[in-house]
Amino acid sequence: MPTQTLRSCLLAATALVCLPTAIPTARADGPTAPQMQTSDAAVTLPTLPEVRVYGRTSTPNQVVLDPAVDNLFPATDAAEILQSVPGVSLGRMGGHGAEPFIRGQSQTRINIIDDGALIHGGCPNRMDPPTAYLSAGAIDSLIIDKVYASVANGPGGSGGTVRAERKAPVFESDKPYQGSVFGGLNANAWTRSAGGDVSAGSDWGYLRAEGNYDYAQNYRDGANRSVRSAYSAHGGRIELGLTPAADDLIRVSLQNERIDDALFAGAGMDSPYSETFVLRGSYAHDFDSGGPFRRVEVSAFGGIVDHVMDNYSLRTRTGTVMKVDSGSDTFGGNLALTGEASGFRFKVGSDVQVNRRDAARFMGARERVNDGDESLIQSYTWPGVSLSQTGLFAEVERTIVPGHDLIAGVRYDRVGFSADKADRVAIMPGQSANTLYQNYYGARADDRHENNLGGLLRYEVALTDTVTLFAGASRSVRTADATERAIAQNNATASSRWIGRPDIAPEKHHQLDIGAQATTADWSIGGTVYYDRVKDFILRDLARGQDRILLNDNATVYRNVGATLAGVEISGRLRLRKNWTIAAQAAYTYGENEDDNRPLAQIPPLELTSSVEHRTQVWMVGLRMRAALRQTRADVETGNNSGLDVGNTGGYAVFDLYSELLSLAPLSVTFGVTNLFGRTYATHLSRSNSFDPEVVQVNEPGRSFFLRAHANF
C-alpha cells in the first residue's frame, strides 16, 4: 500500500476514534473481573490481562503522572512528558528546554515546583525554563493542575501549577534497600540516556541517591534537514531522611543539574554552559488523632543557576562577538498547618520567595569578551533585579451534604521590587537601564511594592460513584517577573532593543470553569469549559507610540491591556472487549487582546491526540496520532503585531507506533518509532528558525526509532 494511502487510512481511523471518546484516567494495576449473575453452578472466571491506563485524574482539572510508568516515549526533560496531558502544549527553541503552555499560558504564569522548590531559570531568552532542570528519571509523581487550583501553591499560577514530587521510600521488612535503573536510545539524534535511583534505610531513616545522563546530537526534521539541537546533560541528587519518631520526618537534599553545549536553532546564541545547585530542607509532623490539627510542614530551599550563552564558542565566527553571563538565585520557604474542626478541613500557612537575577551582555573582540572584560559590557540585561514575594493563605473544604463539597480559599501577597544596577552605565553605547526605561516609559526602576489579593471558590458534586460535576471561580494576581519589569537589552538598532517596564501593573485573572467527568472500570469521559477575563494582562509588544509608550521605533516593550482567554477540553477512554483500549483528547484555546482587537500571540490551535492499544499479559502494542489544526488566529497583522508569532501555522497529523514488553518484570522494555511517516512540521508555539532561511520555525524531529528499558530491584 502506498505511504500516502496508508497515512490517509490511519488518519481516518484515528479521527473516528476521537469522536466518541476522550482522556486517560485511573491506572488499574490488576485484573478486573467481569460482572456476572449468581448461580448455583460452579463458574470459573477467566483471567483477564492487566489493563494499565497511563496517567490518572484525582480531582477535576488535575492529572497525576508517574514518569517511570506513564512515559513510554523519549523525553529530554519533564516538559516533553507534560505534552501528553490535554490542554498542555510545548514551544521549541532547540533540542532541550522546551517551554510548556497550559491553556495558552506559559512562563511565570505557571508555577513549576520541584519538590517544594521554585527555581527560576538563568536565561533572559528562556533557553532554560524551570522544566529544563527537571530530570524525569527520579520523579515519583508529576502533578499538573490546569487551573488556579489552590491558594497554597504559591503566588501567581494563573495558568496552573506543575509539581514534581519525590517521596520518602518505603522498605520491606526483609529488604532494607530499593532502586531502579534506566537507559534509552533515540536513533534520530543518537540520543543516549541513562540513570539510576537507589535508596537504603531502616527505622531511623534513609539515604537516597539519584543520577542521570543524556547526550544528543542534532536531530533531523521530516525533510532530513539538520536542526541545531545537540546538548549534553548530567546531574544527580542525594537526600538524607531522618525519622526520630514515627510521626516525624526530616529531609535534607542537595541537587545538581548541568547542561553543556546546548545548540538552539531558534536563537541567535547557543549555551555552552548552564548549571543549577539546589539545597532543600523540610520537617513534617503528624499530630495524634482527636485534636483539630493533623499535620504541620516546614520547608526551606535555596537554588542558584549560572547560565552562559554566546554566538561564537559553538559555531564558526570571526570579528566582533557577543556573550551573556547571567545568574538567577532563588531562596524561599513554606509553613503550612492542616487540620479539621467543626466539619471544616483547613490548611493555613505562609510562604516566601526571593529571586535575584543578574545578567550582563559583552560585545567586542573574542579574547576580551571571553575573559569577561567589564569595559566591553554592552547592556546590563538584568540590572541586579530583586523580586520578593511573601504570602499568607487559608483554604477550607467542607462537605455540605454527602457528595457535595465546597472549597474556598484566600491569599494575600506582599511584593517588593528593586534593581540596584539600573544606574550603571554600559560602556557601549553609554546608557544605563534607567535611561532606557525613561526613554520608553517615562519611568525609573525605583523600589516598588505591591499588595495583591486573590482567592477561589469551587463546588464539586458526586452525582453517583462514577459521575462528578464541578464548577469554580477564582481571582489570581501575577506580578511581573524580572524580564517584564527590568530587562534592559540595548542595541544601536532600535528594533533589536528589549526593554522591561518597571511600573508595569500586575495581572489580575478572573476565571470561571465548569465541567464533568465520569469514570468506570471500562470507560471514562470528561470535559471542561473555561473562561478567563484578565485585567492588566502583561503584553510583550513592539513600540509604536501606543498609550504610555513614548517612542515609535519597533523596540520590544511591555504594556498592560485587557485580555480574554477561553477554551474547552474533552478527553476520555474506552475499553473494548478484554484486550483493546482506545483513548482520545482534544483541547482548544482562544486568546484575544481586547484593547487592540487582535489575537493574543502564542496561543495553540485546536490540538488532538488519539490512541489505540492492544494488550495481553505478555506485550502491548499501540498506535498514537498527534494532530493540530491550522492556526489562523495568529498575531501577525502588518504594522500591528507583537512580533512573537512567526505567522499562521499549518496543521499536521503525526503517527507514533510503540510497544512494551510486560512479561519481563521487574524489567520493562519499550520500543517503537515516532513520526512514523517522517512528517515535516512545526508547532505554532515554536520559535522562528534563526539558521535555515528555508525553514520558518524550528521543526519537530522527523522519523525516529527508540528503545527504552527500566528495571526495579
Side-chain angles (χ1 to χ4, degrees):
M1 180 180 292
T3 299
Q4 183 64 38
T5 304
L6 179 58
R7 182 189 298 119
S8 300
C9 291
L10 289 172
L11 177 59
T14 48
L16 289 174
V17 170
C18 289
L19 294 177
T21 62
I23 124 190
T25 58
R27 191 171 69 240
D29 292 320
T32 302
Q35 298 281 334
M36 63 176 295
Q37 295 180 346
T38 303
S39 75
D40 295 332
V43 176
T44 301
L45 294 177
T47 301
L48 299 182
E50 176 188 23
V51 175
R52 185 171 58 184
V53 180
Y54 297 94
R56 65 186 185 275
T57 302
S58 55
T59 62
N61 293 313
Q62 184 183 88
V63 175
V64 182
L65 299 174
D66 179 351
V69 174
D70 299 335
N71 179 31
L72 293 178
F73 298 95
T76 60
D77 52 40
E80 293 199 349
I81 301 175
L82 295 177
Q83 67 179 335
S84 65
V85 176
V88 180
S89 310
L90 291 186
R92 181 180 295 280
M93 185 162 53
H96 196 273
E99 186 79 67
F101 288 68
I102 298 179
R103 294 178 175 175
Q105 300 191 52
S106 65
Q107 301 189 16
T108 53
R109 295 182 178 96
I110 303 173
N111 286 338
I112 309 292
I113 306 174
D114 183 8
D115 203 20
L118 290 94
I119 304 301
H120 298 278
C123 177
N125 199 29
R126 296 190 68 84
M127 290 178 174
D128 65 336
T131 48
Y133 300 110
L134 279 178
S135 173
I139 297 174
D140 294 322
S141 61
L142 201 58
I143 304 169
I144 303 98
D145 289 311
K146 298 181 293 179
V147 71
Y148 185 63
S150 173
V151 295
N153 284 338
S158 58
T161 299
V162 176
R163 287 176 288 150
E165 293 190 348
R166 294 170 175 86
K167 302 172 184 176
V170 177
F171 304 103
E172 300 175 9
S173 58
D174 59 344
K175 183 184 172 185
Y177 67 90
Q178 64 183 32
S180 64
V181 292
F182 65 89
L185 176 66
N186 190 355
N188 189 316
W190 289 113
T191 305
R192 285 94 79 184
S193 61
D197 177 6
V198 180
S199 57
S202 64
D203 293 341
W204 56 264
Y206 64 89
L207 185 66
R208 181 176 182 180
E210 309 161 10
N212 61 83
Y213 169 80
D214 290 272
Y215 172 81
Q217 300 175 11
N218 291 337
Y219 67 73
R220 292 186 173 274
D221 65 12
N224 202 34
R225 289 180 293 236
S226 179
V227 177
R228 291 181 64 86
S229 56
Y231 70 92
S232 175
H234 65 273
R237 169 182 163 123
I238 187 167
E239 176 174 302
L240 174 65
L242 299 175
T243 53
D247 296 326
D248 296 317
L249 175 61
I250 301 170
R251 300 170 63 193
V252 179
S253 68
L254 177 64
Q255 179 182 359
N256 169 241
E257 302 289 342
R258 176 163 172 163
I259 306 164
D260 291 298
D261 298 337
L263 306 185
F264 294 93
M269 294 184 174
D270 301 312
S271 177
Y273 167 81
S274 194
E275 186 170 29
T276 181
F277 286 91
V278 184
L279 177 65
R280 299 174 179 83
S282 67
Y283 169 73
H285 173 74
D286 293 317
F287 294 97
D288 295 334
S289 59
F293 302 122
R294 297 288 181 266
R295 185 177 178 87
V296 62
E297 297 174 286
V298 182
S299 64
F301 69 90
I304 58 174
V305 176
D306 290 323
H307 177 79
V308 176
M309 57 181 175
D310 63 42
N311 64 356
Y312 60 89
S313 65
L314 299 174
R315 64 185 74 174
T316 302
R317 188 179 182 90
T318 58
T320 299
V321 300
M322 192 175 294
K323 180 181 78 168
V324 177
D325 284 334
S326 60
S328 175
D329 300 338
T330 312
F331 303 91
N334 181 286
L335 169 64
L337 180 65
T338 58
E340 183 173 356
S342 301
F344 289 91
R345 300 174 291 279
F346 64 84
K347 185 173 188 177
V348 296
S350 176
D351 52 45
V352 177
Q353 179 188 161
V354 179
N355 176 242
R356 178 177 174 83
R357 285 175 161 177
D358 263 305
R361 185 166 73 177
F362 299 80
M363 187 170 69
R366 178 171 182 153
E367 294 76 13
R368 295 173 62 191
V369 166
N370 208 41
D371 292 338
D373 187 340
E374 293 190 1
S375 67
L376 298 181
I377 293 180
Q378 188 263 352
S379 295
Y380 287 96
T381 307
W382 279 331
V385 182
S386 293
L387 195 62
S388 64
Q389 302 184 72
T390 302
L392 300 172
F393 60 85
E395 192 167 288
V396 296
E397 179 178 352
R398 182 178 175 86
T399 300
I400 308 300
V401 295
H404 293 245
D405 291 323
L406 180 67
I407 303 151
V410 64
R411 180 181 180 91
Y412 165 77
D413 287 291
R414 173 72 170 176
V415 178
F417 161 76
S418 65
D420 56 24
K421 296 181 181 178
D423 281 321
R424 291 194 183 184
V425 176
I427 303 303
M428 301 184 308
Q431 292 181 322
S432 69
N434 267 332
T435 301
L436 295 171
Y437 307 145
Q438 193 75 39
N439 290 344
Y440 282 88
Y441 310 112
R444 291 175 50 85
D446 300 323
D447 292 355
R448 299 176 186 274
H449 293 89
E450 295 172 4
N451 296 287
N452 298 329
L453 186 64
L456 61 84
L457 187 67
R458 302 196 63 80
Y459 196 74
E460 299 176 8
V461 180
L463 294 181
T464 67
D465 291 340
T466 60
V467 180
T468 301
L469 305 179
F470 55 90
S474 67
R475 169 189 163 93
S476 57
V477 182
R478 182 189 75 91
T479 194
D481 61 30
T483 299
E484 294 163 332
R485 284 181 182 273
I487 193 169
Q489 188 166 289
N490 206 351
N491 199 288
T493 303
S495 59
S496 297
R497 295 174 189 156
W498 185 3
I499 315 299
R501 183 169 193 153
D503 63 345
I504 196 84
E507 289 181 350
K508 296 90 174 175
H509 290 255
H510 304 91
Q511 302 188 58
L512 298 171
D513 69 273
I514 185 169
Q517 63 184 38
T519 304
T520 71
D522 293 325
W523 60 269
S524 69
I525 188 167
T528 303
V529 177
Y530 58 90
Y531 174 84
D532 183 4
R533 182 69 173 184
V534 191
K535 180 181 179 183
D536 293 323
F537 183 88
I538 299 173
L539 180 73
R540 178 175 165 176
D541 208 353
L542 300 179
R544 290 184 294 271
Q546 302 99 319
D547 183 33
R548 300 184 65 194
I549 303 295
L550 304 182
L551 296 179
N552 181 5
D553 59 9
N554 279 328
T556 297
V557 295
Y558 292 93
R559 61 193 186 98
N560 291 118
V561 299
T564 297
L565 289 161
V568 60
E569 297 168 1
I570 302 174
S571 52
R573 68 169 178 88
L574 175 64
R575 177 182 171 187
L576 300 174
R577 298 190 177 186
K578 63 179 183 179
N579 296 107
W580 291 90
T581 301
I582 59 176
Q585 57 195 43
Y588 174 73
T589 301
Y590 168 91
E592 180 75 1
N593 173 350
E594 302 290 353
D595 283 17
D596 301 329
N597 296 315
R598 73 182 204 230
L600 288 177
Q602 295 289 276
I603 300 296
L606 175 64
E607 296 179 326
L608 307 165
T609 303
S610 182
S611 65
V612 180
E613 288 187 2
H614 177 74
R615 184 181 300 270
T616 69
Q617 291 180 324
V618 178
W619 57 280
M620 176 274 290
V621 63
L623 176 68
R624 179 179 71 167
M625 180 190 75
R626 296 173 286 127
L629 297 189
R630 177 178 173 83
Q631 178 57 290
T632 58
R633 282 188 49 79
D635 182 25
V636 292
E637 181 183 348
T638 303
N640 186 30
N641 64 76
S642 63
L644 295 177
D645 280 348
V646 178
N648 294 333
T649 306
Y652 60 86
V654 178
F655 294 89
D656 306 319
L657 186 64
Y658 56 97
S659 185
E660 181 178 12
L661 300 180
L662 304 173
S663 59
L664 303 178
L667 174 65
S668 171
V669 177
T670 60
F671 54 92
V673 55
T674 55
N675 196 353
L676 180 62
F677 299 109
R679 177 69 184 267
T680 304
Y681 73 105
T683 70
H684 181 68
L685 305 175
S686 293
R687 301 284 188 97
S688 58
N689 194 309
S690 303
F691 296 92
D692 191 336
E694 297 181 359
V695 179
V696 176
Q697 289 176 288
V698 179
N699 283 337
E700 295 295 299
R703 182 186 299 110
S704 182
F705 295 89
F706 69 90
L707 172 68
R708 300 177 68 248
H710 183 278
N712 297 317
F713 59 87

